[in-house]
Amino acid sequence: MAMCSTFYPRLSTHLNCKSFSLFPVKHRFFVSIKAFSSQTFAPKADDLPASIGFLGLGIMGNPMAQNLIKAGCDVTVWNRTKSKCEPLISLGAKYKSSPEEVAASCDVTFAMLADPESAADVACGKYGAAKGMGPGKGYVDVSTVDGETSKLICKHIRATGAHFLEAPVSGSKKPAEDGQLIFLTAGDSVLYEKAAPLLDIMGKSRFYLGEVGNGAAMKLVVNMVMGSMMASFAEGLVLSEKVGLDPSVLVEVISQGAISAPMYAVKGPSMVKSSYPTAFPLKHQQKDLRLALGLAESVSQPIPIAAATNELYKVAKSHGLSDQDFSAVIEALRVKLQQ
Ligand SMILES: NC(=O)C1=CN([C@@H]2O[C@H](COP(=O)(O)OP(=O)(O)OC[C@H]3O[C@@H](n4cnc5c(N)ncnc54)[C@H](OP(=O)(O)O)[C@@H]3O)[C@@H](O)[C@H]2O)C=CC1
Ligand SMILES: O=CCCC(=O)O
């Protein structure tokens, strides 16, 4: 059975796809849970947009683009540092020398950039993607940015007659490699439908959240919680060490109780060994906390835990830990304890 957009329709009306509406009353937020593996529902070439662009081949962009190529998609890549395109080119990707050229040659272009500044520049800058967009095309920004940046990019893309979808992802390097990301989408529903088979290659589920800004907000809230969880976990590990407990035992105790979380089980053992192989760079976690604080400010919502957490990540950055995994935030506490 082939996978195509008709198998991933508006969820509330297609329950046979194991889909359902999350918020049936005020806003219609739709969620589609991929009920079958992408292997079972491997898309036919006919079901996919003919050509796909991918801008930004960092920790996340690289495996996401790889999965599209491996699924048989016709992918054209660009990255600021060209050398990062080579592994994709050797897998069969085409290369263009600017976001504009990628967008001009592709039906749907994805962007996975570091932060609001780079996302806006790649989309709206001098040789930015918007210059190559036009009617019938689509731009899907999967970077984690704030709602204002997303709306700015949306404005530039829509001004060309093209469609825009924000689609930040939950899930890190391994889920990206395994095609198990969670997409938090908002924007043009036409593009959501068109991109759905591609999202299903790269991810395990997708949420359609309505107007542009809602996907960004959802992602920032999730990462605000994650950053605080990690900081609290780090404090627990350091305190347990300080009072003479074995922090590995703490990791085990936590894993068996109500506060068990995959993140603690995955990161805990390496944190105990002061090892931080980068999956989610600490600088990006601090960026997300900073943006979440801005989001909260916009609605006068106090978020004191996140505010304190942000300070800890800033300390970690000041100790040169920006490019380490965000679990290296524990080092900010260890440094303080030594003083
Ligand atoms: N890593 C993770 O676990 C997750 C990350 N995210 C989010 O996804 C996004 C990408 O993350 P990740 O892949 O980890 O980050 P990386 O730092 O590995 O990659 C960042 C990408 O952005 C590009 N870039 C940075 N600045 C500019 C610029 N000024 N102009 C053009 N391109 C630029 C980089 O290009 P170059 O190679 O030239 O430096 C690179 O392609 C971020 O928004 C992050 O918050 C979301 C979920 C999980
Ligand atoms: O933005 C990064 C999210 C990392 C994760 O969800 O594990």
Side-chain angles (χ1 to χ4, degrees):
M1 195 175 184
M3 180 180 78
C4 67
S5 58
T6 50
F7 288 104
Y8 293 83
R10 297 271 290 245
L11 307 169
S12 57
T13 54
H14 292 80
L15 294 172
N16 58 329
C17 289
K18 301 203 178 177
S19 308
F20 54 91
S21 168
L22 268 187
F23 298 95
V25 186
K26 191 170 173 198
H27 306 288
R28 293 198 67 84
F29 293 173
F30 297 103
V31 56
S32 168
I33 306 296
K34 190 162 65 173
F36 307 95
S37 74
S38 52
Q39 243 180 353
T40 312
F41 278 88
K44 281 193 308 189
D46 291 353
D47 300 329
L48 299 167
S51 51
I52 297 145
F54 213 106
L55 311 172
L57 302 169
I59 292 170
M60 296 297 285
N62 181 310
M64 292 170 76
Q66 276 205 31
N67 282 335
L68 292 173
I69 296 165
K70 287 174 185 167
C73 301
D74 176 4
V75 178
T76 302
V77 296
W78 171 87
N79 192 66
R80 179 180 62 174
T81 306
K82 190 186 168 188
S83 59
K84 291 191 191 170
C85 297
E86 299 304 338
L88 283 303
I89 293 168
S90 64
L91 284 175
K94 295 169 188 157
Y95 170 79
K96 294 282 182 189
S97 61
S98 70
E100 176 181 358
E101 288 177 58
V102 172
S105 67
C106 294
D107 295 326
V108 174
T109 298
F110 286 84
M112 187 43 134
L113 286 316
D115 50 25
E117 294 73 26
S118 53
D121 194 44
V122 167
C124 319
K126 191 168 177 198
Y127 301 106
K131 296 266 163 55
M133 301 297 298
K137 291 178 183 284
Y139 192 73
V140 184
D141 197 330
V142 291
S143 323
T144 303
V145 300
D146 56 298
E148 290 312 305
T149 300
S150 199
K151 285 172 191 165
L152 176 80
I153 295 171
C154 174
K155 194 173 141 197
H156 279 78
I157 298 297
R158 282 186 182 156
T160 71
H163 289 122
F164 176 77
L165 193 72
E166 65 180 7
V169 298
S170 206
S172 194
K173 186 178 177 211
K174 181 78 168 53
E177 289 166 354
D178 295 345
Q180 293 290 304
L181 295 169
I182 301 160
F183 286 93
L184 308 172
T185 78
D188 292 318
S189 58
V190 171
L191 181 54
Y192 174 70
E193 297 295 341
K194 189 173 177 181
L198 306 173
L199 302 182
D200 291 339
I201 289 167
M202 298 182 282
K204 66 176 178 184
S205 63
R206 48 186 157 86
F207 291 70
Y208 181 74
L209 302 168
E211 288 179 14
V212 172
N214 289 342
M218 180 68 84
K219 173 63 184 166
L220 294 180
V221 171
V222 170
N223 273 27
M224 178 192 80
V225 173
M226 189 178 74
S228 299
M229 279 175 66
M230 175 56 79
S232 180
F233 184 55
E235 282 184 345
L237 288 173
V238 170
L239 180 59
S240 72
E241 283 169 12
K242 194 75 174 180
V243 299
L245 295 171
D246 180 347
S248 301
V249 177
L250 175 68
V251 174
E252 180 60 28
V253 171
I254 286 177
S255 79
Q256 293 190 26
I259 62 165
S260 162
M263 182 177 80
Y264 298 148
V266 169
K267 308 278 186 186
S270 53
M271 290 169 76
V272 169
K273 292 184 211 147
S274 301
S275 168
Y276 315 106
T278 310
F280 181 38
L282 188 142
K283 65 186 175 192
H284 292 336
Q285 175 63 82
Q286 194 273 320
K287 173 255 303 177
D288 295 348
L289 284 160
R290 173 173 59 80
L291 297 178
L293 286 167
L295 178 66
E297 180 71 33
S298 73
V299 290
S300 302
Q301 174 61 45
I303 48 170
I305 308 292
T309 301
N310 183 46
E311 293 304 314
L312 190 62
Y313 283 92
K314 282 163 65 182
V315 171
K317 276 175 67 177
S318 74
H319 287 291
L321 298 164
S322 287
D323 294 320
Q324 301 277 302
D325 189 69
F326 76 120
S327 51
V329 72
I330 193 173
E331 292 299 330
L333 298 163
R334 290 194 173 123
V335 168
K336 277 179 122 178
L337 286 170
Q338 283 160 12
Q339 284 169 351

